[in-house]
Amino acid sequence: MDLRFGDSKPTDEERAAVDTLLGPPESSWEGADRSDADLRWARGGREARERRDLLLPGLHAVNDRIGWISEGALDYLCRRLTVPPAEAYGVATFYAMFSVKPRPATVLHVCTDLACAAAGASELCAGVEGRLGLGSGVSVERSPCLGLCERAPAALAIKAGDPVRTAVSAPATVERAVLAASSPDSAPEEPPAALAVPQAGRAGHEELVLLSRVGVVDPASLDDYRAHGGYTALRQAFAIGPAGVIREVTDAGLVGRGGAAFPTGRKWQATASQPDHPHYLVCNADESEPGTFKDRVVMEGDPYSLVESMTIAGYAVGAHKGYLYLRGEYPRALERMEHAIGQARARGLLGDDVLGQGYAFDIEIRRGAGAYICGEETALFNSIEGYRGEPRSKPPFPVEKGLFGKPTAENNVETLVNVLPILTKGAQAYAAIGTGKSTGPKLFCVSGSVDRPGIYELPFGATLGELLDLAGVRKRLRAVLLGGAAGGFVRPDELDIPLTFEGTREAGTTLGSGVVLAFDDTVPLPRLLLRIAEFFRDESCGQCVPCRVGTVRQEEALHRIVDRTGAAAASDIALLREVGRAMKDASICGLGQTAWNAVESAIDRLGAYE
């Protein structure tokens, strides 16, 4: 592809896709037919450059309508936004869901990650590829985790057009996946979100805090949400003021649920105290860690809770604009959140005067496009701004210079919805749940070799064994992966590990975002480790050498030893340790720093390759 402005022209459909998003061009400087007036002076350049953040939505618009992004379409979008084509090409090729090469209008993404691999994803892929060969009008693509681990194996069909149509097949068979790809509108409807919550409808469900409304309220009904306690917390927030909200969150001991466990109250206070304005709030709903699907279930089953939580967080930090960065692989969550935001806006719960309190706040959804690294907060900011999703060096920290260079508070979905019970129950009552250092309830994503996979809500302090007893382990347990691909393995005789941040740290592992993947003795561990290495190689943004080179060397070494054991593998295991230390010590962000964790724990704790 020519990386300069060329002579390629967009088709009418491509032009319409861009114009629907940006509006018609005002002059030839934005891609319209040139008139005599346009030759006299340039207009609109500054305004167009200020819309650089619409590059990612523009790429989505073309990809959704056509199925791929041609040179002419990219050239037209660049002219509309005055973005250099070379930069836009770098952005378009950064994301797995986009293509700059011709492909069929329908793409079937078949998950081959950890939970799906253990559930027979390779056989599913082979069967689907055999049925949907050349000439079928469907492109079959092997995909990283689709966030449907409780229903593994999983497939997602996307059919380009106006409108774009999607269909999820999970648990997928060859026949179901082929039907979803061939006729998305005829595919069976997805099961309700409540089916991903095994505790729903069972004894003890009334004790749930974060998941109490999933399966109880109609996720499309704002009135139903309010009838079950919705917007009580926001009224309490207005009653105690921004400083009072931050004080309650701090006293409750709430820490981030994405894995870093940074104190939320401290982050909010640091953002609110910044003199630079405007302030922004960003909700990170790009949960791409293999084995993680809790945020999807919350957004699909209780979307208004996230809208309310974001409004409270925005009020606390002094933000009037919030961005919800949502995984591109979550079509139903996108539909539910768009509806919830629209209803809240129409009812005065978002907009210029929220609840008549004189506070203005609104939420804009930005879709990701398949990039694990965008779960890192500064990479996410770059993605929203229209750049490649590469992490930034710190300091400065996001609370000082975050999105668009302004003070920004970033939290994930689970962290934000914890604010609701803090304000309705009170900080002391909330802090009484869990342990002294890990307070409140925690959501755990349990999948793999268990009878009842899904999202479980337990107070911090419950043991790994208690959680697995609820889920029901199948056959003979071989290993448990805590924290997803960036986490670590534990042995079957270590199930008394308390599920707290400090408990898992003392046990030499990590809680991460709450992933619990159980594997029985039928799962080939070397192949699993190789898949983890492949995942990190694919998802590395390539910005820093330790990660860019180290993830490749790690995968190469695992390929060499996957069929060898004992002394024959000793030199490569030594190499793995050296590469792993380099990545951990010198990588710029958490991806490279944790890419060796699971492999290291498998070698040291499980005796892999012995």
Side-chain angles (χ1 to χ4, degrees):
M1 178 178 285
D2 192 342
L3 302 188
R4 300 164 296 176
F5 284 116
D7 296 327
S8 298
K9 302 296 183 184
T11 65
D12 291 343
E13 279 287 292
E14 291 168 340
R15 186 184 294 269
V18 174
D19 290 350
T20 299
L21 174 72
L22 303 179
E26 296 182 358
S27 73
S28 65
W29 299 103
E30 287 191 38
D33 293 331
R34 180 164 293 176
S35 66
D36 291 340
D38 292 327
L39 298 176
R40 297 176 183 271
W41 62 83
R43 294 183 297 166
R46 182 185 300 275
E47 291 82 359
R49 284 191 292 276
E50 289 176 350
R51 296 195 296 175
R52 167 74 185 244
D53 65 295
L54 294 179
L55 178 59
L56 182 57
L59 294 171
H60 267 298
V62 175
N63 200 72
D64 285 350
R65 181 81 70 97
I66 310 301
W68 68 288
I69 301 165
S70 71
E71 183 177 353
L74 187 66
D75 187 80
Y76 182 65
L77 179 61
C78 289
R79 289 184 185 277
R80 294 298 315 273
L81 298 175
T82 65
V83 173
E87 291 187 22
Y89 181 82
V91 173
T93 54
F94 187 81
Y95 298 97
M97 298 184 74
F98 295 149
S99 175
V100 294
K101 297 179 180 179
R103 66 178 178 184
T106 301
V107 178
L108 180 66
H109 300 273
V110 182
C111 179
T112 58
D113 242 318
L114 306 181
C116 289
S122 58
E123 293 80 3
L124 175 64
C125 285
V128 169
E129 288 167 347
R131 291 276 297 274
L132 296 173
L134 295 175
S136 65
V138 177
S139 173
V140 180
E141 298 187 2
R142 299 189 178 217
S143 168
C145 185
L146 294 173
L148 296 162
C149 315
E150 84 281 14
R151 289 183 272 144
L156 168 65
I158 303 176
K159 186 174 184 178
D162 186 19
V164 63
R165 293 184 292 282
T166 62
V168 167
S169 177
T173 62
V174 173
E175 290 71 23
R176 291 174 187 163
V178 169
L179 174 62
S182 304
S183 181
D185 295 332
S186 303
E189 188 176 349
E190 280 193 79
L195 284 188
V197 184
Q199 292 163 300
R202 301 177 65 187
H205 179 255
E206 63 276 1
E207 298 178 4
L208 297 180
V209 177
L210 306 178
L211 301 176
S212 62
R213 281 184 288 260
V214 177
V216 176
V217 303
D218 176 0
S221 173
L222 177 55
D223 291 330
D224 203 8
Y225 174 71
R226 299 184 76 167
H228 287 82
Y231 282 96
T232 303
L234 180 59
R235 293 185 182 279
Q236 175 65 11
F238 283 134
I240 63 178
V245 172
I246 294 175
R247 184 172 58 252
E248 287 289 294
V249 171
T250 302
D251 292 346
L254 177 64
V255 298
R257 300 298 202 247
F262 190 85
T264 304
R266 192 191 307 174
K267 179 184 289 189
W268 288 11
Q269 180 60 52
T271 307
S273 63
Q274 294 297 320
D276 194 14
H277 286 274
H279 295 178
Y280 289 105
L281 172 74
V282 174
C283 174
N284 183 349
D286 191 56
E287 53 172 6
S288 304
E289 186 69 54
T292 311
F293 50 97
K294 55 187 173 63
D295 292 349
R296 170 182 64 80
V297 174
V298 171
M299 291 186 287
E300 291 180 350
D302 193 15
Y304 289 102
S305 67
L306 181 56
V307 177
E308 182 182 5
S309 303
M310 289 184 66
T311 308
I312 293 170
Y315 176 65
V317 303
H320 299 288
K321 181 70 175 286
Y323 286 90
L324 172 59
Y325 191 89
L326 182 58
R327 275 199 79 180
E329 296 92 340
Y330 283 177
R332 184 163 70 170
L334 173 64
E335 177 188 345
R336 295 274 168 87
M337 292 309 306
E338 285 179 336
H339 177 79
I341 290 170
Q343 288 296 301
R345 190 179 292 129
R347 300 279 285 275
L349 299 168
L350 289 174
D352 295 334
D353 189 12
V354 176
L355 276 177
Q357 297 293 316
Y359 168 62
F361 183 75
D362 212 339
I363 298 171
E364 183 175 342
I365 297 177
R366 290 295 174 92
R367 291 162 59 199
Y372 171 76
I373 189 61
C374 288
E376 197 278 338
E377 58 184 357
T378 60
L380 185 156
F381 299 156
N382 277 340
S383 181
I384 292 177
E385 292 176 19
Y387 297 93
R388 288 168 59 89
E390 297 175 341
R392 303 173 184 173
S393 297
K394 303 175 193 175
F397 294 98
V399 296
E400 303 165 306
K401 289 190 179 296
L403 185 64
F404 304 118
K406 299 297 182 179
T408 304
E410 180 268 350
N411 296 106
N412 73 347
V413 173
E414 184 188 355
T415 305
L416 287 168
V417 296
N418 268 276
V419 174
L420 303 183
I422 289 174
L423 292 183
T424 55
K425 294 175 179 292
Q428 286 188 334
Y430 178 91
I433 303 172
T435 67
K437 294 183 179 180
S438 295
T439 62
K442 178 74 181 81
L443 299 182
F444 296 96
C445 311
V446 185
S447 59
S449 303
V450 295
D451 293 323
R452 294 174 293 278
I455 301 297
Y456 288 84
E457 179 184 321
L458 292 175
F460 274 115
T463 67
L464 177 58
E466 290 170 342
L467 175 59
L468 290 177
D469 285 343
L470 286 175
V473 177
R474 296 198 307 259
K475 300 180 182 178
R476 213 185 87 176
L477 188 64
R478 171 73 172 90
V480 180
L481 179 60
L482 288 180
F489 286 96
V490 298
R491 299 186 306 270
D493 61 351
E494 298 179 297
L495 301 187
D496 59 346
I497 293 175
L499 295 174
T500 60
F501 292 112
E502 65 275 13
T504 52
R505 190 162 48 245
E506 289 172 3
T509 184
T510 178
L511 192 63
S513 60
V515 175
V516 179
L517 267 163
F519 299 104
D520 59 35
D521 54 7
T522 65
V523 177
L525 188 58
R527 179 61 235 179
L528 203 66
L529 296 177
L530 183 56
R531 176 63 194 119
I532 291 173
E534 291 170 348
F535 173 81
F536 281 115
R537 180 212 63 203
D538 287 341
E539 298 295 341
S540 172
C541 75
Q543 179 182 192
C544 68
V545 172
C547 180
R548 182 175 72 239
V549 177
T551 53
V552 175
R553 295 293 172 262
Q554 177 173 262
E555 185 199 1
E556 290 172 346
L558 287 172
H559 264 296
R560 285 194 297 269
I561 66 177
V562 73
D563 295 323
R564 294 183 291 151
T565 56
S571 61
D572 276 317
I573 290 177
L575 175 64
L576 280 171
R577 293 189 187 280
E578 183 179 351
V579 169
R581 284 194 297 269
M583 288 194 292
K584 186 176 294 187
D585 292 343
S587 294
I588 195 173
C589 81
L591 188 150
Q593 293 163 11
T594 60
W596 154 244
N597 285 2
V599 179
E600 179 184 33
S601 65
I603 294 172
D604 292 342
R605 299 178 90 119
L606 303 181
Y609 309 120
E610 288 183 355

